[in-house]
Amino acid sequence: DAEITQSPRHKITETGRQVTLACHQTWNHNNMFWYRQDLGHGLRLIHYSYGVQDTNKGEVSDGYSVSRSNTEDLPLTLESAASSQTSVYFCASSEGANFNEQFFGPGTRLTVL
Amino acid sequence: GNSVTQMEGPVTLSEEAFLTINCTYTATGYPSLFWYVQYPGEGLQLLLKATKADDKGSNKGFEATYRKETTSFHLEKGSVQVSDSAVYFCALTPSGGYQKVTFGIGTKLQVIP
């Protein structure tokens, strides 16, 4: 069965370190998204991609970067982790039209000390 | 810009009670509307959707009707179960173009036996 996976599921790191969260999907979807989920804010879009070599900033992109070198993967990098980036991160993918659903990964809980 | 408004909760109900979670939106044109559900420790998954005015989405006993005149998409269920305890997100994607979802803040539902 097709799926979307994230790794690691839990990560503890220190302020200033570079961290990369992996997202891999086997749906062969063109669209991929990264969100962060925080109490009181719901889900906020960090970055998104509509295809290979395409990346776009979302509403909370400062301090994060992504790259899309193939269809299956969209890794999220925190260049210099900050305590404000402690959150749960979700990756999602979808195909085509705006009325299609997004499929979500299980999430990565990141703690920055 | 686009926005989705829903109460944060928590909403606490007894088993077999009637559920309503209100959702209103702001968007131009004819967006597609969604309800996603997040069970504890998991990613979001699609519960139901509606893609045009007066459409009714339904799944697992939940229903929501796309009301263009009131810009609403309220979620209802006639008799909730303990297993319905989760966080419910209302969301929209704009009409036309590529898909980028705007989520509401999420409403936590607790159903007690």
Side-chain angles (χ1 to χ4, degrees):
Chain A
D1 286 347
E3 60 178 355
I4 179 166
T5 57
Q6 294 183 234
S7 62
R9 295 293 312 278
H10 301 272
K11 174 78 175 178
I12 300 174
T13 191
E14 296 177 342
T15 302
R17 299 222 176 200
Q18 183 181 81
V19 176
T20 296
L21 309 183
C23 174
H24 179 81
Q25 53 100 1
T26 59
W27 293 97
N28 200 35
H29 287 160
N30 282 326
N31 307 330
M32 294 185 74
F33 308 83
W34 273 105
Y35 298 91
R36 60 178 290 173
Q37 183 178 26
D38 305 285
L39 276 175
H41 291 278
L43 267 74
R44 292 181 290 177
L45 184 62
I46 304 171
H47 282 285
Y48 58 103
S49 169
Y50 290 138
V52 176
Q53 302 301 330
D54 175 75
T55 61
N56 305 279
K57 294 181 178 181
E59 61 180 300
V60 290
S61 61
D62 287 349
Y64 303 94
S65 63
V66 294
S67 61
R68 187 90 180 269
S69 59
N70 58 51
T71 299
E72 296 79 18
D73 300 289
L74 186 71
L76 177 71
T77 297
L78 286 68
E79 303 294 344
S80 177
S83 57
S84 59
Q85 295 176 309
T86 293
S87 186
V88 180
Y89 291 86
F90 288 99
C91 180
S93 71
S94 70
E95 185 56 47
N98 63 321
F99 49 80
N100 289 334
E101 70 180 283
Q102 291 195 355
F103 294 84
F104 282 78
T108 294
R109 182 175 294 276
L110 176 68
T111 302
V112 183
L113 301 177
Chain B
N2 301 325
S3 66
V4 175
T5 301
Q6 61 178 119
M7 61 182 297
E8 189 169 3
V11 174
T12 302
L13 295 174
S14 297
E15 206 164 23
E16 299 185 1
F18 185 86
L19 168 71
T20 300
I21 301 177
N22 289 339
C23 171
T24 57
Y25 68 89
T26 301
T28 55
Y30 293 87
S32 293
L33 303 175
F34 305 81
W35 277 100
Y36 284 84
V37 59
Q38 183 182 30
Y39 298 104
E42 299 183 9
L44 280 70
Q45 56 186 275
L46 181 68
L47 180 60
L48 53 84
K49 70 179 184 182
T51 59
K52 59 183 188 293
D54 300 324
D55 265 3
K56 177 185 284 188
S58 61
N59 186 24
K60 299 181 182 180
F62 291 88
E63 293 183 340
T65 301
Y66 188 141
R67 299 290 187 198
K68 180 70 173 172
E69 64 277 12
T70 55
T71 61
S72 65
F73 193 54
H74 305 321
L75 182 69
E76 296 181 336
K77 186 176 186 184
S79 176
V80 294
Q81 306 300 312
V82 172
S83 58
D84 294 326
S85 298
V87 181
Y88 293 81
F89 291 89
C90 186
L92 69 82
T93 54
S95 56
Y98 286 107
Q99 184 198 71
K100 194 169 71 167
V101 183
T102 298
F103 286 92
I105 200 168
T107 300
K108 185 173 183 179
L109 171 65
Q110 297 176 326
V111 181
I112 55 177

